[in-house]
Amino acid sequence: MKDTFLRIERFTSGLAMAGACAMLVVASALGMYQIITRFVLEQPAEWSEILIRLSLIWMVFLGIPLAFRQGAMISVDVLYRWSPPRLRRLLDWAVALASLLLIAIILWWGWDYAVRGQVQTMAGLESVSMFWGYLAMPVGALFCIVGIIGNLLDPQRHELETAQ
């Protein structure tokens, strides 16, 4: 059961990271496009700024799950280093539960914002609903839940290895 969940978690984390990387590529390409149209052609494309902002929001919310999976989000390094192994496991559970609570709040309110934002449009891109911007919160939160549970089942402490 644990191995199956971790396999699913690896797939979902990889999917989230691929999405985050794709959004970075989109933001970079649109940024270059915006520079060329504004300063070279002197014909600014207003819609590109909104899409850059939207892709950066999606990039962040799709990148956060991998940080949770690697144990790099809520850092309690000093307590973890000074604690005996039994207390470390308790600390892992406390951090995971606090993180899950925060993510549950983001999931709940993110979905509420997305539903309420269906009737709004993006300034400069009137054909796109704000639903797609707000949807990044609950989608990222769902990926985070899987990453948090994955880190609880198979802890990874990359930040502790590089800390000084």
Side-chain angles (χ1 to χ4, degrees):
M1 179 89 167
K2 177 181 171 181
D3 291 334
T4 304
F5 182 83
L6 290 174
R7 211 172 309 118
I8 292 168
E9 181 276 323
R10 274 191 301 276
F11 174 76
T12 60
S13 291
L15 188 64
M17 185 49 76
C21 290
M23 291 296 106
L24 179 60
V25 168
V26 167
S28 300
L30 286 172
M32 288 301 299
Y33 177 78
Q34 186 178 38
I35 289 169
I36 291 170
T37 58
R38 181 165 293 182
F39 297 111
V40 176
L41 303 176
E42 297 179 1
Q43 296 288 328
E46 295 87 13
W47 56 268
S48 61
E49 183 179 339
I50 285 81
L51 284 181
I52 291 169
R53 190 176 315 142
L54 187 64
S55 64
L56 289 175
I57 289 168
W58 273 93
M59 180 189 69
V60 168
F61 279 99
L62 289 176
I64 290 171
L66 196 64
F68 271 118
R69 177 59 182 108
Q70 294 178 351
M73 284 300 289
I74 299 178
S75 186
V76 287
D77 297 349
V78 174
L79 271 175
Y80 199 82
R81 287 181 190 156
W82 291 347
S83 302
R86 278 184 81 137
L87 188 58
R88 287 180 184 177
R89 198 61 188 148
L90 183 65
L91 196 56
D92 285 341
W93 275 92
V95 168
L97 290 175
S99 298
L100 285 170
L101 177 65
L102 174 67
I103 294 303
I105 291 168
I106 291 172
L107 176 65
W108 177 267
W109 288 108
W111 179 251
D112 186 51
Y113 278 17
V115 170
R116 289 181 191 205
Q118 289 183 60
V119 296
Q120 298 174 337
T121 59
M122 295 182 189
L125 202 60
E126 284 76 20
S127 62
V128 178
S129 170
M130 283 299 295
F131 173 81
W132 300 108
Y134 291 134
L135 190 63
M137 290 187 291
V139 168
L142 288 173
F143 282 113
C144 283
I145 290 169
V146 176
I148 292 167
I149 295 170
N151 191 49
L152 190 61
L153 294 175
D154 178 32
Q156 296 180 3
R157 306 236 181 287
H158 297 296
E159 81 285 354
L160 286 177
E161 296 168 4
T162 59
Q164 296 184 22

